[in-house]
Amino acid sequence: MSELDAARTRTAGGIRLHRVSHRYGRGPAAVNALGPVDLEVPPGEFLVLVGASGCGKSTLLRLIAGFEAATEGSIEVSGATPRPGDTAGVVFQQPRLFPWQTVGGNVELALKYAGVPREHRARRREELLTRVGLEGTAARRIWEISGGQQQRVAIARALAAETSLLLLDEPFAALDALTRERLQDDLRRVSVASGRTSVFVTHSADEAAFLGSRIVVLTRRPGRVALDLPVELPRAGVDPDDLRASKEFLDLRREVGRAVKSAAAA
Ligand code: ADP
Ligand code: MG
Protein backbone atom coordinates (compact mmCIF):
# COMPACT_ATOMS: atom_id res chain seq x y z
CA MET A 1 0.00 0.00 0.00
CA SER A 2 1.30 3.45 -0.92
CA GLU A 3 1.76 6.31 1.57
CA LEU A 4 -1.23 8.01 -0.05
CA ASP A 5 -3.47 4.97 0.46
CA ALA A 6 -2.24 4.62 4.05
CA ALA A 7 -3.14 8.26 4.67
CA ARG A 8 -6.62 7.71 3.20
CA THR A 9 -7.35 4.91 5.67
CA ARG A 10 -7.02 7.53 8.42
CA THR A 11 -9.75 9.73 6.95
CA ALA A 12 -13.48 9.27 7.58
CA GLY A 13 -14.57 5.67 7.10
CA GLY A 14 -11.08 4.24 6.61
CA ILE A 15 -10.17 1.14 8.62
CA ARG A 16 -6.73 -0.10 9.69
CA LEU A 17 -6.17 -3.41 11.44
CA HIS A 18 -2.63 -4.11 12.60
CA ARG A 19 -1.78 -7.64 13.80
CA VAL A 20 -5.27 -8.10 15.27
CA SER A 21 -6.01 -11.32 17.14
CA HIS A 22 -8.89 -12.24 19.37
CA ARG A 23 -9.25 -14.96 21.96
CA TYR A 24 -12.31 -15.82 24.06
CA GLY A 25 -11.70 -16.99 27.62
CA ARG A 26 -8.45 -17.91 29.34
CA GLY A 27 -6.29 -20.91 30.04
CA PRO A 28 -6.88 -24.32 28.51
CA ALA A 29 -10.50 -23.49 27.65
CA ALA A 30 -9.52 -20.39 25.63
CA VAL A 31 -10.78 -20.19 22.04
CA ASN A 32 -8.50 -18.54 19.49
CA ALA A 33 -11.20 -17.04 17.30
CA LEU A 34 -9.30 -14.71 14.99
CA GLY A 35 -6.01 -13.62 13.57
CA PRO A 36 -3.50 -12.33 13.31
CA VAL A 37 -5.13 -10.11 10.67
CA ASP A 38 -3.65 -7.08 8.91
CA LEU A 39 -6.11 -5.10 6.81
CA GLU A 40 -6.27 -1.60 5.35
CA VAL A 41 -9.64 -0.49 4.02
CA PRO A 42 -9.77 2.87 2.23
CA PRO A 43 -12.93 5.00 2.55
CA GLY A 44 -15.80 4.11 0.23
CA GLU A 45 -14.87 0.47 -0.19
CA PHE A 46 -17.55 -2.25 0.01
CA LEU A 47 -15.55 -4.99 1.67
CA VAL A 48 -17.10 -8.45 1.94
CA LEU A 49 -15.68 -10.85 4.51
CA VAL A 50 -16.45 -14.40 3.55
CA GLY A 51 -15.58 -17.66 5.26
CA ALA A 52 -17.01 -20.83 6.73
CA SER A 53 -19.20 -20.74 9.81
CA GLY A 54 -17.17 -20.29 13.02
CA CYS A 55 -14.08 -18.81 11.32
CA GLY A 56 -14.28 -15.50 13.21
CA LYS A 57 -16.23 -13.22 10.84
CA SER A 58 -18.63 -11.87 13.47
CA THR A 59 -15.75 -11.48 15.90
CA LEU A 60 -13.89 -9.32 13.40
CA LEU A 61 -16.98 -7.21 12.75
CA ARG A 62 -17.60 -6.70 16.48
CA LEU A 63 -14.01 -5.58 16.96
CA ILE A 64 -14.36 -3.04 14.15
CA ALA A 65 -17.64 -1.80 15.68
CA GLY A 66 -15.87 -1.35 19.04
CA PHE A 67 -18.24 -3.74 20.85
CA GLU A 68 -15.18 -5.66 22.07
CA ALA A 69 -11.48 -4.85 22.41
CA ALA A 70 -9.05 -7.09 20.51
CA THR A 71 -6.88 -9.35 22.64
CA GLU A 72 -3.88 -8.28 20.55
CA GLY A 73 -3.09 -5.71 17.90
CA SER A 74 -4.62 -2.34 17.09
CA ILE A 75 -7.71 -1.14 15.26
CA GLU A 76 -8.42 2.31 13.93
CA VAL A 77 -11.57 3.56 12.23
CA SER A 78 -11.35 7.06 10.76
CA GLY A 79 -7.99 7.34 12.53
CA ALA A 80 -9.29 6.59 16.05
CA THR A 81 -10.11 3.66 18.30
CA PRO A 82 -13.67 2.55 17.49
CA ARG A 83 -16.36 3.44 20.04
CA PRO A 84 -19.56 1.39 20.24
CA GLY A 85 -22.52 3.27 18.86
CA ASP A 86 -20.42 6.12 17.43
CA THR A 87 -18.22 4.44 14.92
CA ALA A 88 -20.62 2.48 12.77
CA GLY A 89 -24.21 1.73 11.87
CA VAL A 90 -24.65 -2.00 12.39
CA VAL A 91 -27.15 -4.43 10.85
CA PHE A 92 -27.48 -7.95 12.27
CA GLN A 93 -29.02 -11.15 10.96
CA GLN A 94 -32.14 -10.49 13.03
CA PRO A 95 -33.37 -6.91 12.53
CA ARG A 96 -33.56 -6.02 16.29
CA LEU A 97 -36.21 -3.34 15.85
CA PHE A 98 -38.35 -1.83 18.59
CA PRO A 99 -41.57 -3.85 18.16
CA TRP A 100 -43.76 -1.33 19.99
CA GLN A 101 -42.78 1.42 17.54
CA THR A 102 -43.99 2.00 14.01
CA VAL A 103 -41.67 1.68 11.01
CA GLY A 104 -41.24 5.45 11.00
CA GLY A 105 -40.81 5.52 14.77
CA ASN A 106 -37.88 3.13 14.57
CA VAL A 107 -36.11 5.30 12.02
CA GLU A 108 -36.90 8.52 13.90
CA LEU A 109 -35.44 7.13 17.11
CA ALA A 110 -32.17 6.50 15.29
CA LEU A 111 -32.27 10.04 13.91
CA LYS A 112 -32.86 11.36 17.42
CA TYR A 113 -29.83 9.45 18.76
CA ALA A 114 -27.81 10.77 15.82
CA GLY A 115 -28.64 14.31 16.99
CA VAL A 116 -30.92 15.29 14.11
CA PRO A 117 -33.17 18.14 15.32
CA ARG A 118 -36.82 17.18 15.78
CA GLU A 119 -38.10 19.46 13.01
CA HIS A 120 -35.90 17.73 10.41
CA ARG A 121 -36.64 14.15 11.42
CA ALA A 122 -39.85 13.54 9.44
CA ARG A 123 -38.33 14.64 6.14
CA ARG A 124 -35.14 12.69 6.75
CA ARG A 125 -37.16 9.61 7.80
CA GLU A 126 -39.05 9.70 4.47
CA GLU A 127 -35.79 10.06 2.52
CA LEU A 128 -34.30 7.05 4.27
CA LEU A 129 -37.43 4.89 3.86
CA THR A 130 -37.51 5.79 0.17
CA ARG A 131 -33.87 4.81 -0.23
CA VAL A 132 -34.55 1.31 1.08
CA GLY A 133 -37.77 0.89 -0.94
CA LEU A 134 -40.24 1.46 1.92
CA GLU A 135 -41.85 4.75 0.96
CA GLY A 136 -45.31 5.24 2.43
CA THR A 137 -44.89 2.64 5.20
CA ALA A 138 -43.98 4.94 8.11
CA ALA A 139 -47.27 4.36 9.97
CA ARG A 140 -47.14 0.56 9.75
CA ARG A 141 -46.40 -1.55 12.82
CA ILE A 142 -43.33 -3.76 12.86
CA TRP A 143 -45.38 -6.94 13.22
CA GLU A 144 -47.48 -5.99 10.17
CA ILE A 145 -44.53 -6.07 7.76
CA SER A 146 -42.56 -9.00 6.34
CA GLY A 147 -39.11 -10.17 7.45
CA GLY A 148 -37.58 -8.65 4.34
CA GLN A 149 -39.26 -5.31 5.05
CA GLN A 150 -38.08 -5.45 8.66
CA GLN A 151 -34.51 -5.90 7.46
CA ARG A 152 -35.01 -2.87 5.19
CA VAL A 153 -36.06 -0.85 8.26
CA ALA A 154 -32.90 -2.04 10.03
CA ILE A 155 -30.80 -0.81 7.09
CA ALA A 156 -32.62 2.55 7.05
CA ARG A 157 -31.94 2.86 10.77
CA ALA A 158 -28.25 2.07 10.32
CA LEU A 159 -28.05 4.69 7.55
CA ALA A 160 -29.79 7.21 9.82
CA ALA A 161 -26.84 7.09 12.20
CA GLU A 162 -24.84 9.12 9.62
CA THR A 163 -21.67 7.22 10.42
CA SER A 164 -19.12 6.94 7.63
CA LEU A 165 -19.03 3.19 8.26
CA LEU A 166 -21.74 0.57 7.84
CA LEU A 167 -21.25 -2.93 9.26
CA LEU A 168 -23.55 -5.78 8.22
CA ASP A 169 -23.41 -9.28 9.72
CA GLU A 170 -25.20 -11.79 7.45
CA PRO A 171 -28.22 -9.46 7.29
CA PHE A 172 -30.00 -11.44 4.57
CA ALA A 173 -29.23 -14.97 5.75
CA ALA A 174 -32.68 -15.57 7.25
CA LEU A 175 -34.63 -14.36 4.18
CA ASP A 176 -36.06 -16.36 1.28
CA ALA A 177 -33.99 -16.38 -1.92
CA LEU A 178 -36.11 -13.93 -3.92
CA THR A 179 -36.36 -11.38 -1.10
CA ARG A 180 -32.63 -11.76 -0.47
CA GLU A 181 -31.82 -10.92 -4.10
CA ARG A 182 -34.01 -7.83 -4.07
CA LEU A 183 -32.37 -6.62 -0.87
CA GLN A 184 -28.94 -7.29 -2.35
CA ASP A 185 -29.91 -5.23 -5.42
CA ASP A 186 -31.03 -2.35 -3.23
CA LEU A 187 -28.04 -2.50 -0.90
CA ARG A 188 -25.67 -2.42 -3.86
CA ARG A 189 -27.44 0.65 -5.24
CA VAL A 190 -27.65 2.38 -1.85
CA SER A 191 -23.98 1.77 -1.10
CA VAL A 192 -22.85 3.18 -4.43
CA ALA A 193 -25.03 6.26 -3.90
CA SER A 194 -23.98 6.84 -0.28
CA GLY A 195 -20.22 6.38 -0.78
CA ARG A 196 -19.94 5.02 2.76
CA THR A 197 -17.41 2.39 3.69
CA SER A 198 -19.15 -0.94 4.26
CA VAL A 199 -18.01 -4.22 5.74
CA PHE A 200 -20.43 -7.03 4.97
CA VAL A 201 -20.09 -10.52 6.44
CA THR A 202 -21.45 -13.58 4.68
CA HIS A 203 -20.70 -17.26 4.20
CA SER A 204 -22.14 -17.10 0.66
CA ALA A 205 -19.74 -16.83 -2.29
CA ASP A 206 -22.67 -15.71 -4.43
CA GLU A 207 -23.49 -12.80 -2.12
CA ALA A 208 -19.80 -11.86 -1.82
CA ALA A 209 -19.32 -11.76 -5.59
CA PHE A 210 -22.47 -9.70 -6.14
CA LEU A 211 -21.92 -7.09 -3.42
CA GLY A 212 -18.19 -6.64 -2.91
CA SER A 213 -15.88 -4.03 -4.39
CA ARG A 214 -13.29 -6.15 -2.60
CA ILE A 215 -13.57 -9.65 -1.18
CA VAL A 216 -11.51 -11.01 1.70
CA VAL A 217 -11.71 -14.77 2.27
CA LEU A 218 -10.88 -15.94 5.79
CA THR A 219 -9.29 -19.26 6.76
CA ARG A 220 -10.98 -21.51 9.28
CA ARG A 221 -10.61 -20.54 12.95
CA PRO A 222 -8.58 -18.64 13.98
CA GLY A 223 -9.55 -16.63 10.89
CA ARG A 224 -6.72 -15.13 8.88
CA VAL A 225 -6.72 -13.58 5.42
CA ALA A 226 -6.56 -16.40 2.87
CA LEU A 227 -7.35 -14.28 -0.19
CA ASP A 228 -7.75 -10.53 -0.74
CA LEU A 229 -9.42 -9.92 -4.06
CA PRO A 230 -10.24 -6.60 -5.75
CA VAL A 231 -13.47 -6.85 -7.77
CA GLU A 232 -13.64 -5.41 -11.27
CA LEU A 233 -17.40 -5.75 -11.83
CA PRO A 234 -19.19 -2.46 -12.63
CA ARG A 235 -20.58 -0.72 -9.50
CA ALA A 236 -23.16 1.54 -11.13
CA GLY A 237 -25.35 1.79 -14.24
CA VAL A 238 -25.87 -1.94 -14.56
CA ASP A 239 -29.03 -4.00 -14.24
CA PRO A 240 -28.52 -6.35 -11.29
CA ASP A 241 -30.06 -9.36 -13.01
CA ASP A 242 -27.86 -8.77 -16.09
CA LEU A 243 -24.88 -8.61 -13.76
CA ARG A 244 -25.85 -11.92 -12.12
CA ALA A 245 -26.08 -13.55 -15.56
CA SER A 246 -22.75 -12.17 -16.80
CA LYS A 247 -19.72 -14.38 -17.38
CA GLU A 248 -17.57 -12.07 -15.26
CA PHE A 249 -19.89 -12.48 -12.26
CA LEU A 250 -20.18 -16.25 -12.68
CA ASP A 251 -16.39 -16.62 -12.97
CA LEU A 252 -15.87 -14.51 -9.86
CA ARG A 253 -18.48 -16.46 -7.93
CA ARG A 254 -16.76 -19.73 -8.84
CA GLU A 255 -13.35 -18.34 -7.85
CA VAL A 256 -14.64 -17.14 -4.47
CA GLY A 257 -16.52 -20.38 -3.86
CA ARG A 258 -13.36 -22.42 -4.48
CA ALA A 259 -11.28 -20.13 -2.27
CA VAL A 260 -13.79 -20.41 0.60
CA LYS A 261 -13.76 -24.20 0.36
CA SER A 262 -10.00 -24.53 0.27
CA ALA A 263 -9.55 -21.91 3.04
CA ALA A 264 -11.97 -23.87 5.24
CA ALA A 265 -10.07 -27.11 4.60
CA ALA A 266 -6.53 -25.76 4.94
P1 ADP B 1 -18.47 -16.66 12.44
O1 ADP B 1 -19.19 -15.38 12.56
O2 ADP B 1 -17.46 -16.70 11.33
O3 ADP B 1 -19.40 -17.84 12.33
P2 ADP B 1 -17.64 -16.11 15.19
O4 ADP B 1 -16.81 -14.90 15.09
O5 ADP B 1 -19.03 -15.97 15.68
O6 ADP B 1 -17.61 -16.89 13.77
O7 ADP B 1 -16.92 -17.17 16.13
C1 ADP B 1 -15.59 -17.58 15.95
C2 ADP B 1 -15.24 -18.64 16.98
O8 ADP B 1 -15.27 -18.07 18.28
C3 ADP B 1 -16.23 -19.80 17.00
O9 ADP B 1 -15.52 -20.98 17.27
C4 ADP B 1 -17.15 -19.45 18.16
O10 ADP B 1 -17.68 -20.61 18.75
C5 ADP B 1 -16.20 -18.73 19.10
N1 ADP B 1 -16.91 -17.70 19.91
C6 ADP B 1 -17.65 -16.68 19.44
N2 ADP B 1 -18.12 -15.92 20.44
C7 ADP B 1 -17.67 -16.49 21.58
C8 ADP B 1 -17.78 -16.18 22.96
N3 ADP B 1 -18.48 -15.11 23.36
N4 ADP B 1 -17.19 -17.01 23.85
C9 ADP B 1 -16.48 -18.08 23.44
N5 ADP B 1 -16.31 -18.43 22.16
C10 ADP B 1 -16.89 -17.65 21.24
MG1 MG C 1 -21.22 -14.93 12.54
Side-chain angles (χ1 to χ4, degrees):
M1 158 162 308
S2 72
E3 266 307 300
L4 185 65
D5 284 345
R8 289 184 69 219
T9 62
R10 277 180 233 115
T11 63
I15 305 170
R16 319 184 83 192
L17 303 180
H18 180 68
R19 308 303 291 167
V20 171
S21 295
H22 198 65
R23 191 169 52 243
Y24 292 105
R26 288 168 184 276
V31 177
N32 286 319
L34 182 76
V37 172
D38 284 296
L39 208 55
E40 306 257 353
V41 185
E45 195 137 64
F46 197 110
L47 176 71
V48 178
L49 292 172
V50 56
S53 177
C55 76
K57 302 180 298 293
S58 295
T59 299
L60 182 48
L61 211 70
R62 284 201 299 270
L63 297 176
I64 295 172
F67 295 155
E68 282 177 82
T71 321
E72 276 158 58
S74 64
I75 302 179
E76 281 182 15
V77 177
S78 312
T81 302
R83 296 198 306 183
D86 278 6
T87 299
V90 187
V91 184
F92 302 94
Q93 185 171 334
Q94 299 303 331
R96 302 192 189 184
L97 303 170
F98 296 117
W100 60 88
Q101 286 276 355
T102 59
V103 167
N106 270 275
V107 177
E108 284 195 44
L109 261 180
L111 290 167
K112 181 178 168 186
Y113 288 129
V116 176
R118 182 187 293 271
E119 63 271 24
H120 295 153
R121 284 181 212 151
R123 186 177 48 80
R124 187 82 188 106
R125 173 199 77 207
E126 283 311 306
E127 284 169 12
L128 287 164
L129 288 176
T130 301
R131 262 164 82 186
V132 298
L134 283 181
E135 55 275 20
T137 65
R140 309 273 302 273
R141 295 277 158 185
I142 293 302
W143 68 78
E144 293 174 335
I145 63 176
S146 68
Q149 288 174 319
Q150 290 179 12
Q151 204 51 287
R152 289 178 191 274
V153 178
I155 292 170
R157 209 178 46 176
L159 291 170
E162 302 262 350
T163 53
S164 46
L165 181 61
L166 201 57
L167 302 175
L168 306 106
D169 193 354
E170 309 213 32
F172 307 148
L175 304 175
D176 66 88
L178 192 63
T179 305
R180 181 160 59 236
E181 281 197 6
R182 295 291 79 91
L183 272 124
Q184 288 168 349
D185 297 350
D186 289 346
L187 180 63
R188 205 173 192 276
R189 183 176 43 70
V190 165
S191 78
V192 169
S194 82
R196 285 184 214 217
T197 313
S198 303
V199 183
F200 185 104
V201 161
T202 181
H203 57 261
S204 156
D206 180 84
E207 191 159 70
F210 181 74
L211 287 174
S213 68
R214 175 180 171 191
I215 298 171
V216 165
V217 177
L218 295 179
T219 65
R220 69 177 181 193
R221 182 172 76 76
R224 282 143 291 140
V225 175
L227 179 71
D228 188 342
L229 199 65
V231 175
E232 308 295 341
L233 300 177
R235 300 294 300 165
V238 57
D239 177 81
D241 291 323
D242 289 348
L243 183 67
R244 281 195 182 84
S246 71
K247 178 173 184 316
E248 290 76 12
F249 169 77
L250 295 169
D251 286 349
L252 176 66
R253 188 177 74 176
R254 187 179 311 116
E255 182 180 1
V256 174
R258 285 200 181 121
V260 171
K261 268 191 197 151
S262 68

